[in-house]
Amino acid sequence: MAKKGKKRKEIKRKLLHKYRLVILNESTFEEKISFKLNRLNVFVTGTIFIIVLIALTTLLIAFTPLREYIPGYSSTKLKRQATELTYKTDSLVTVLNYTNRYLENVRMVLRGDIENTETNRDSLFEKYKLDPNTINLTPIKEDLELREQVELEDKYNLFERTVEGTRTILFPPVSGEISQRYDVNQKHFAVDVTTPKDSPVKAVANGTVIFAEWTSDTGNVIIIEHEDDLISAYKHCGSLNKSQGEHVNAGEVVASVGNTGELTTGPHLHFELWKDGKPIDPQDYIDFN
C-alpha cells in the first residue's frame, strides 16, 4: 500500500510540476513570450482542442457540399437525375407494355385467332327499352330543391330583362334600397337607391360617356349613351372614374356613390333611364336588390 501511495504521489507530482515555455530572440536572446505549463494542462488543452476539431470537421462535412467529395456520398444533382431517370424508365416500361399488347392483338387479328361473334342488334335495343307506364315521374325532394334554387337565381339574374324594343341587356348599377321611386306626377324621372358611400357605380350596358362633369344641383354626374337610343344617367356621385368620350363596358365601374350637389340628403345614387328621348322607369328592367 505504501508503494502504491508513493507511486500515486509521484504521478501527481509529475503532472502538476510546472514548466516554463519561453520564446527568445535568436540574435539578442531577448525573451518575447513565456508560458507557465504543466503536463496536466497540456493534456486537458490538447484533448479539448482535438474534440473541438473533430466536431467542427463533422459539422463541415455533414452540412456543406464538401461531403460530396467523400467516397460514398452522392451529390444532390446526381440524386435528382437518378430520380428523373427512374420516373422516365417507369413511363417507358408502361408504354412498352401497351405497345406489346397492341402488337399482340394485331398478330391475333392477322392470324385469325379472334372469334367473330355476331350480335343481334334488336336484342340490344330490347334490353334498354323502357315502358313509360312503369316510370315514376313524380319529382323527388332533391329535384324540387334544385328547381327552387334555379328559380331564386333566375329571379336575380342580371341578364333576364331587356328594354322593350331593344336588344340591350341591362346591368344593375348598384345594389341597395329604393328610397324614392320613379314618379311622373312629381316629375321624378329616376329612382334613388340608398347604398353605402363610396360603393362602386357600374355601367348598365356597353356605351360611350357623353357627359362627365360637376353640376351645382346634382353634383358629379355621368351620362352614358348606349345602343338603340338608350341613355343612362348617374347623379350625386362621389367621384367619377370615366371622362367624356371614353367607351365603357357593361358592369364596368364608372363612378362611386356619394352625397354631392345641393339636391341631396344623404349618400345615394340618382339613376335615370331614357329611351328615344323619353324617361322610363328603371325598376321595370333592373332589379336593384
Side-chain angles (χ1 to χ4, degrees):
M1 291 295 295
K3 289 183 178 181
K4 289 184 179 180
K6 186 176 180 182
K7 188 175 183 180
R8 289 177 182 175
K9 290 181 179 180
E10 183 65 20
I11 294 174
K12 182 177 180 182
R13 184 185 66 79
K14 289 181 179 180
L15 290 175
L16 298 179
H17 186 75
K18 294 182 179 180
Y19 300 89
R20 180 180 293 272
L21 177 63
V22 180
I23 298 177
L24 302 176
N25 188 326
E26 186 178 359
S27 300
T28 62
F29 296 100
E30 180 183 359
E31 182 179 334
K32 296 294 184 180
I33 302 175
S34 64
F35 300 96
K36 290 183 179 180
L37 303 173
N38 56 48
R39 295 180 180 178
L40 181 61
N41 289 341
V42 172
F43 176 76
V44 172
T45 304
T47 303
I48 294 175
F49 176 77
I50 292 173
I51 293 174
V52 172
L53 184 62
I54 293 173
L56 290 177
T57 304
T58 303
L59 294 175
L60 189 65
I61 293 175
F63 298 100
T64 63
L66 290 176
R67 65 179 181 273
E68 298 178 2
Y69 295 97
I70 299 176
Y73 281 95
S74 59
S75 64
T76 304
K77 182 179 179 181
L78 186 61
K79 289 182 179 179
R80 183 169 59 252
Q81 291 177 349
T83 304
E84 292 176 355
L85 289 175
T86 302
Y87 290 149
K88 290 181 180 179
T89 303
D90 184 65
S91 301
L92 290 174
V93 170
T94 303
V95 173
L96 183 61
N97 291 333
Y98 286 146
T99 304
N100 291 335
R101 191 178 306 169
Y102 172 76
L103 293 175
E104 182 63 26
N105 292 334
V106 172
R107 293 192 194 98
M108 293 175 64
V109 171
L110 294 176
R111 292 196 303 262
D113 295 339
I114 297 179
E115 181 181 359
N116 185 14
T117 57
E118 295 183 358
T119 303
N120 188 350
R121 184 170 175 267
D122 295 333
S123 64
L124 294 177
F125 288 111
E126 186 68 26
K127 180 179 180 180
Y128 296 101
K129 185 180 294 184
L130 298 177
D131 185 2
N133 296 326
T134 62
I135 301 176
N136 184 10
L137 300 178
T138 305
I140 60 176
K141 179 180 178 182
E142 290 77 6
D143 184 44
L144 293 175
E145 292 177 354
L146 178 60
R147 293 184 182 184
E148 293 177 358
Q149 182 179 357
V150 172
E151 291 177 358
L152 182 62
E153 292 177 353
D154 289 342
K155 180 180 179 182
Y156 300 101
N157 192 356
L158 302 176
F159 306 103
E160 66 174 349
R161 298 179 180 178
T162 59
V163 178
E164 184 178 357
T166 70
R167 296 173 298 172
T168 306
I169 298 174
L170 300 185
F171 195 102
V174 294
S175 298
E177 184 179 353
I178 304 297
S179 59
Q180 188 172 359
R181 299 180 179 274
Y182 177 90
D183 193 343
V184 179
N185 297 327
Q186 297 183 3
K187 295 183 179 182
H188 188 257
F189 306 113
V191 291
D192 291 342
V193 185
T194 304
T195 189
K197 188 177 180 181
D198 297 327
S199 297
V201 178
K202 304 171 184 177
V204 296
N206 299 339
T208 304
V209 178
I210 59 175
F211 183 85
E213 297 291 343
W214 164 273
T215 64
S216 60
D217 292 338
T218 54
N220 289 317
V221 178
I222 184 168
I223 302 176
I224 303 175
E225 183 180 14
H226 311 282
E227 295 180 354
D228 301 318
D229 295 326
L230 183 68
I231 293 178
S232 59
Y234 317 77
K235 300 181 179 181
H236 301 300
C237 298
S239 62
L240 303 178
N241 294 2
K242 298 294 180 179
S243 303
Q244 183 174 339
E246 289 190 61
H247 178 78
V248 297
N249 297 320
E252 185 176 357
V253 177
V254 296
S256 63
V257 175
N259 186 30
T260 59
E262 297 178 359
L263 304 178
T264 180
T265 57
H268 74 285
L269 174 66
H270 179 97
F271 178 70
E272 300 177 7
L273 203 59
W274 296 72
K275 177 71 172 70
D276 296 327
K278 297 179 181 179
I280 56 178
D281 188 355
Q283 283 190 278
D284 290 341
Y285 312 101
I286 301 175
D287 191 346
F288 291 91
N289 292 326

